[in-house]
Amino acid sequence: MKRGMLPLNALRAFEATMRHGQMKLAAEELGVTYGAVSRQVRGLEEILGVSLFDGPRNRLTPSQAACDLQPALQDALDRIEAAVLRVQRRDKRTLDLSCLSTFAMRWLIPRLFDFREAHAAIEVRMTADDGPVDFARDRFDVAIRVGSGPWPEMTVTELFADTVGPVASPTILETSSSMAWQDVSALPLLHTRTRPTAWHDWCASNDCPLPSGGQEFEHFYFLLEAATAGLGVAVAPEVLVRDDVAAGRLVAPFGFRPSGQTYVALTPDHPSAEAIAFTSWLRLQAKSDGSDC
């Protein structure tokens, strides 16, 4: 088929349906009705002379032809989108960043002045988020997350190995060479919805009995503030409490050990020049901290 005859709207509808697995979600992304997407896909089937989906509309099953077409089509649309964004941003040079909120406050923001000095033309627009990353849906250039992966269909730049340990205020916990688990477990335990299994995982990996009870906080930042205020003991990542431990606001009686997770910077498969510059800078910052992967 000649380029001038390509049914671009129908191809977009098909690609969005394949990516989301539902015509309803494809319609929401494209800003059209469900019926419009359905008609576009049916029309594409007529043009190609093949069936693209089987089964009822609420449980679509891609045909082999659909599976053969989708990878190249998605790659082509990703490249078109990236090229258009590069032209749009030629003057603005804006980088949209999705970042864990507590990591942003305690590690990233204090260092951003260095990036601005090195890349004064790039404006960083930050959104606090810890949810799953979908670059096609959310239009971010870079996302910073912590986890064990895998991170499919995106480029991964590893920053730090996540190390964690119990921390508490010295006002309620005096450390010594004879510090025992019983001394720490007797304190009120602090939990967060962000890492609900933090205490379970730490106790399991250190062969310690898990105490019951405790207080739960919605955000990690609240958890750390509560620990600093002496409300109890929390399991925290070293990178988020490094300054507090150095300043004596928190003590870590057993140090920090790997959690099996990693802080990563994620980008689309075809990142913008701004994203490449930012992830390179992140990697250098991690290396300068001496805690890079």
Side-chain angles (χ1 to χ4, degrees), residues 265-283:
L266 307 172
T267 58
D269 284 337
H270 305 292
S272 65
E274 291 77 17
I276 293 172
F278 191 73
T279 53
S280 297
W281 173 81
L282 283 172
R283 191 75 177 90

Side-chain angles (χ1 to χ4, degrees), residues 107-282:
W107 189 88
L108 180 60
I109 290 176
R111 292 166 171 78
L112 269 182
F113 74 93
D114 182 82
F115 179 77
R116 289 179 178 173
E117 285 191 350
H119 303 277
I122 300 177
E123 176 189 356
V124 178
R125 296 191 303 201
M126 191 183 309
T127 299
D129 189 9
D130 62 359
V133 180
D134 185 340
F135 287 111
R137 179 193 65 202
D138 299 321
R139 310 305 185 196
F140 290 117
D141 296 292
V142 181
I144 297 176
R145 294 291 187 269
V146 61
S148 55
W151 311 96
E153 299 180 1
M154 56 190 74
T155 301
V156 181
T157 300
E158 294 188 348
L159 303 176
F160 324 106
D162 181 49
T163 59
V164 301
V167 295
S169 168
T171 61
I172 64 169
L173 182 64
E174 295 184 4
T175 58
S176 67
S177 58
S178 60
M179 175 65 62
W181 168 240
Q182 289 77 10
D183 300 316
V184 175
S185 61
L187 297 172
L189 265 59
L190 306 179
H191 306 271
T192 176
R193 294 180 186 176
T194 307
R195 292 196 186 190
T197 65
W199 272 112
H200 174 274
D201 295 342
W202 190 87
C203 288
S205 63
N206 291 275
D207 197 25
C208 298
L210 176 64
S212 60
Q215 184 175 359
E216 183 181 68
F217 295 87
E218 183 174 1
H219 297 294
F220 215 104
Y221 181 78
F222 298 159
L223 172 84
L224 298 182
E225 289 297 301
T228 305
L231 297 184
V233 58
V235 171
E238 187 273 340
V239 69
L240 300 185
V241 296
R242 183 180 301 162
D243 293 342
D244 294 298
V245 172
R249 292 186 292 269
L250 290 172
V251 292
F254 308 117
F256 300 92
R257 300 181 182 180
S259 70
Q261 300 189 87
T262 304
Y263 282 88
V264 296
L266 307 172
T267 58
D269 284 337
H270 305 292
S272 65
E274 291 77 17
I276 293 172
F278 191 73
T279 53
S280 297
W281 173 81
L282 283 172

Side-chain angles (χ1 to χ4, degrees), residues 61-79:
T61 302
S63 67
Q64 185 58 51
C67 294
D68 291 341
L69 176 60
Q70 190 265 345
L73 178 59
Q74 181 171 338
D75 181 69
L77 291 175
D78 286 345
R79 288 176 178 273

Side-chain angles (χ1 to χ4, degrees), residues 22-40:
Q22 296 182 35
M23 287 188 177
K24 179 182 177 182
L25 296 178
E28 291 176 359
E29 177 185 307
L30 298 174
V32 299
T33 64
Y34 171 93
V37 171
S38 179
R39 288 191 296 274
Q40 291 284 1

